Amino acid sequence: QVTLRESGPVLVKPTETLTLTCTVSGFSLNNPTMGVSWIRQPPGKALEWLAHIFSNDDKSYSPSLESRLTIAKDTSQSQVVLTMTNVDPADTATYYCARTDIYGLWVTRFDPWGQGILVTVSS
Amino acid sequence: EAVLTQSPGTLSLSPGERATLSCRAGQSISTTYLAWYQQKPGQAPRLLIYGASSRATGIPDRFSGSGSGTDFTLTISRLEPEDFAVYYCQQYYTFGQGTKLEIK
């Protein structure tokens, strides 16, 4: 059974750095047909893709947030970490990680998803 | 950057009725890269359809996907009470803005 679980702080202050961890099980982060993405969803709003990491350690970032994001993986720990610098109240959202299926160089689908973690940015 | 436009924004129907949700891409895409998700309040999205028309594991056959090029459709043949939720289409790293399916 494939599972993903997000962990990290639920409250961060403006200008701080947010670090979130996605712990996976049931699949390998070295599988060339799979990857892991981070997606967020502000309260009452739509899904927004943030970052993706491939098995070969290649990375992709949302153009609008690229300067603030870093994604990395620790295969031995089955973990994918997302860091976001200089957070703002507008970054308040539920953050999800999801396994991706890769065909060619592109993601075909996100499945499954973790349960998500609500992160609030407030002083 | 890919753009996906979903319509309608909100769809009000009754249980037993047929629902038709639309997703339009800004440019022609391969069906391989079009997926649909269902999200209920307080839950993570769940994959329904991938490859534009293939049902994910465990998804009832009342859910079907179709389309090609720039126009894609998610159809729910007979609505069950548990189908009222928000639905998103996805292409590559882009999600549509969602269609809320509500009880009439």
Side-chain angles (χ1 to χ4, degrees):
Chain A
Q1 181 189 6
V2 175
T3 65
L4 301 95
R5 186 181 76 250
E6 304 88 351
S7 59
V10 295
L11 180 64
V12 290
K13 292 181 169 55
T15 75
E16 290 186 339
T17 294
L18 170 64
T19 299
L20 296 172
T21 300
C22 176
T23 303
V24 311
S25 64
F27 72 101
S28 170
L29 294 175
N30 287 328
N31 188 320
T33 67
M34 297 175 181
V36 173
S37 267
W38 284 93
I39 303 109
R40 72 179 179 180
Q41 185 173 39
K45 295 188 177 181
L47 301 166
E48 178 185 20
W49 172 80
L50 299 176
H52 183 264
I53 191 162
F54 294 83
S55 60
N56 64 359
D57 218 37
D58 281 351
K59 305 166 180 77
S60 294
Y61 295 101
S62 168
S64 63
L65 292 166
E66 184 167 8
S67 63
R68 299 172 52 208
L69 297 175
T70 302
I71 190 170
K73 64 183 174 80
D74 182 337
T75 303
S76 66
Q77 297 288 325
S78 294
Q79 292 181 331
V80 176
V81 176
L82 180 75
T83 60
M84 175 182 289
T85 61
N86 192 27
V87 297
D88 178 88
D91 296 313
T92 293
T94 297
Y95 287 76
Y96 298 99
C97 58
R99 187 186 69 170
T100 59
D101 278 57
I102 307 297
Y103 183 78
L105 299 177
W106 296 98
V107 169
T108 62
R109 58 190 188 252
F110 299 85
D111 179 53
W113 298 55
Q115 85 280 5
I117 182 170
L118 175 59
V119 178
T120 300
V121 180
S122 175
S123 54
Chain B
E1 190 172 324
V3 174
L4 292 175
T5 303
Q6 292 187 240
S7 61
T10 302
L11 185 58
S12 300
L13 294 170
S14 301
E17 290 192 296
R18 181 185 186 89
T20 303
L21 288 67
S22 174
C23 176
R24 176 164 289 178
Q27 57 188 26
S28 182
I29 63 172
S30 166
T31 56
T32 300
Y33 299 103
L34 197 287
W36 290 91
Y37 302 83
Q38 177 193 64
Q39 187 178 32
K40 297 179 180 179
Q43 296 184 16
R46 176 177 70 147
L47 177 69
L48 295 175
I49 301 287
Y50 64 95
S53 61
S54 297
R55 273 187 301 276
T57 302
I59 301 303
D61 61 7
R62 65 180 181 272
F63 291 90
S64 63
S66 62
S68 63
T70 60
D71 293 308
F72 298 88
T73 300
L74 174 69
T75 302
I76 310 171
S77 59
R78 282 181 59 86
L79 286 166
E80 298 286 342
E82 62 267 27
D83 297 337
F84 292 91
V86 179
Y87 292 84
Y88 295 95
C89 59
Q90 168 251 326
Q91 170 215 348
Y92 306 138
Y93 297 130
T94 299
F95 293 91
Q97 79 279 20
T99 290
K100 181 179 181 180
L101 180 56
E102 65 178 24
I103 299 177
K104 187 174 182 179

